[in-house]
Amino acid sequence: MNPLFHEIYGKYFRLISTLMHSDSHSEEAIRMILEKEGYGETAFSLLPSLVSEEENWHLFTKADGDYHRILQHASKQPITQIEKRWLKTMLEDQRIHNFLEPDRVSALQEALVDVESLFSSEMIDYFDQFQEGDPYEEPIYTENARCLLQAIQSMELVTIQYQTLDRQEGSQHIVFPEKLEYSQKNDKFRLRGKRKTRSESWEPVVFNLSEIKGVERIGIVEPMQKATKAKDKQIVCLLKDDRDTLERAMFHFSNYRKITQKTEQEREYQLTIYYPSQDETELLINILSFGPFLQVIEPDSFIRQIKYRLKRQKELYFPTELEAKKSAE
């Protein structure tokens, strides 16, 4: 059997594991878990194997009206060979150092020394990715990334020293960090959060992680310091599923909240994408990369931006043709 489809990844296996992580359950509690986490017929087909006397799998014993697991300790899911190979592959990616401490990485690498990776980075060719990604090998970069991640998890304010490539002098900001996000196209991480202004208010901000020169955590944030989350914008598209367009769209727009619906037309889907306003330019570029297979139908303001960008591209690549057209007019 292919290890990717091993039974331990099945829903029934995970359901039983969930039940056996608690010391005891009533029959009704077991039924509710099966109905909530399983399929429509799960409770009907699986409950007798757990509680009936005739078909019992003997995973639970009944006492004082409740069912108690027969194991003294909660069961642990074994790590399969395919999981070890996947983990070894992830450890060879420099980006992993943004999220794991060096000691943790070293311990995992030592434990997996005899395990073969699933694949190497040389096997992947990103045909539409910019070549200049973030400096993942630089210690200050990984130190800043881990510091920001800890601040996000503990909801702390930070002081950020920031310097863009086009400026000789840097700037300092007090920021409430909200999340780190990765751009597949640019091969870069960005920090999203709220920046404290001179008027003591809070405004949304996006910083390139590679241009952050220093991070200092300055304490736990107070609830009043949280700014109101800006409302996301949205676009509505029609997608023609040809040449795996639907699969590519799910991957390219995986970092956005979206709704996908099948239309009455063959192999056509309506895709509604919700995005923060500061992502509009990058989203526009991604939309254009799908060519005629992805058509934006709402809103008009986004459609106008597409038309304008296409016109500019045509002027750039076919200037003689446009000049001839203007002369004829």
Side-chain angles (χ1 to χ4, degrees):
M1 177 183 292
N2 189 322
L4 286 174
F5 300 98
H6 196 281
E7 58 268 17
I8 68 170
Y9 297 103
K11 185 177 286 289
Y12 281 8
F13 189 98
R14 297 198 303 273
L15 271 172
I16 299 301
S17 177
T18 299
L19 290 170
M20 299 194 72
H21 269 73
S22 298
D23 293 330
S24 63
H25 296 281
S26 66
E27 182 174 340
E28 184 60 26
I30 294 176
R31 183 192 302 277
M32 291 178 63
I33 292 174
L34 295 178
E35 290 178 348
K36 180 180 178 181
E37 305 295 338
Y39 303 109
E41 74 285 355
T42 299
F44 174 78
S45 61
L46 202 57
L47 188 62
S49 300
L50 300 175
V51 301
S52 74
E53 296 182 1
E54 296 80 10
E55 305 177 25
N56 204 311
W57 288 345
H58 303 290
L59 298 176
F60 299 91
T61 58
K62 187 175 183 179
D64 301 326
D66 287 341
Y67 291 86
H68 305 264
R69 68 182 184 210
I70 61 172
L71 300 178
Q72 293 183 354
H73 304 286
S75 60
K76 294 183 179 180
Q77 182 170 322
I79 300 178
T80 64
Q81 189 67 17
I82 197 73
E83 289 176 312
K84 292 179 181 178
R85 295 184 63 189
W86 175 84
L87 182 56
K88 180 69 172 287
T89 304
M90 294 299 103
L91 291 173
E92 293 175 356
D93 189 331
Q94 283 293 326
R95 291 170 293 188
I96 199 71
H97 297 276
N98 290 353
F99 307 99
L100 296 179
E101 295 293 336
D103 293 344
R104 179 60 172 163
V105 174
S106 299
L108 289 171
Q109 288 174 334
E110 183 178 351
L112 300 170
V113 66
D114 296 326
V115 176
E116 181 184 359
S117 303
L118 279 175
F119 54 84
S120 65
S121 58
E122 290 75 17
M123 297 179 181
I124 304 175
D125 183 18
Y126 296 99
F127 65 91
D128 61 346
Q129 186 181 73
F130 292 105
Q131 296 299 313
E132 296 182 0
D134 276 356
Y136 301 114
E137 298 82 4
E138 294 184 5
I140 186 64
Y141 177 90
T142 55
E143 182 181 341
N144 288 340
R146 286 197 296 267
C147 185
L148 287 169
L149 185 62
Q150 292 169 358
I152 291 170
Q153 293 172 337
S154 58
M155 301 180 65
E156 290 184 64
L157 288 175
V158 296
T159 299
I160 288 178
Q161 305 294 332
Y162 193 69
Q163 183 176 3
T164 58
L165 296 176
D166 57 347
R167 290 188 178 182
Q168 294 183 349
E169 296 184 359
S171 55
Q172 180 172 295
H173 309 274
I174 296 178
V175 177
F176 175 55
E178 294 179 326
K179 67 177 180 178
L180 287 172
E181 66 178 20
Y182 176 70
S183 171
Q184 180 74 52
K185 192 174 188 66
N186 297 310
D187 190 24
K188 289 179 177 290
F189 278 91
R190 295 176 297 199
L191 171 69
R192 291 192 180 276
K194 301 293 189 302
R195 174 175 56 189
K196 192 173 186 179
T197 65
R198 294 180 179 178
S199 61
E200 300 295 318
S201 60
W202 296 84
E203 64 180 6
V205 67
V206 179
F207 290 122
N208 290 324
L209 187 54
S210 60
E211 296 175 340
I212 295 177
K213 305 306 178 183
V215 179
E216 182 181 356
R217 295 159 62 183
I218 58 176
I220 304 297
V221 65
E222 298 177 7
M224 67 184 67
Q225 291 172 318
K226 294 184 187 179
T228 304
K229 184 177 179 181
K231 186 177 180 181
D232 284 346
K233 302 174 73 173
Q234 72 176 60
I235 60 170
V236 182
C237 314
L238 291 179
L239 183 144
K240 187 69 174 178
D241 189 18
D242 192 7
R243 303 178 188 175
D244 297 324
T245 309
L246 180 61
E247 182 178 349
R248 289 196 298 118
M250 294 301 101
F251 173 76
H252 275 276
F253 307 124
S254 59
N255 56 321
Y256 300 113
R257 183 169 63 93
K258 55 189 172 295
I259 299 174
T260 307
Q261 298 172 309
K262 181 72 174 67
T263 69
E264 296 180 357
Q265 301 297 321
E266 183 180 1
R267 301 174 66 85
E268 185 183 75
Y269 296 84
Q270 179 174 297
L271 189 63
T272 305
I273 302 174
Y274 300 88
Y275 64 96
S277 58
Q278 56 265 34
D279 281 4
E280 192 159 82
T281 300
E282 183 173 349
L283 178 62
L284 177 61
I285 294 172
N286 281 330
I287 291 288
L288 289 172
S289 70
F290 283 83
F293 301 108
L294 191 60
Q295 177 189 3
V296 178
I297 58 176
E298 293 179 15
D300 292 338
S301 58
F302 201 93
I303 297 173
R304 285 194 296 270
Q305 290 190 59
I306 291 178
K307 290 180 178 179
Y308 174 76
R309 187 171 286 264
L310 289 175
K311 181 181 178 182
R312 290 294 303 272
Q313 289 180 355
K314 189 173 182 180
E315 292 173 351
L316 179 64
Y317 290 104
F318 305 102
T320 306
E321 179 183 332
L322 289 174
E323 288 176 4
K325 184 178 179 182
K326 290 180 180 178
S327 300
E329 293 176 351

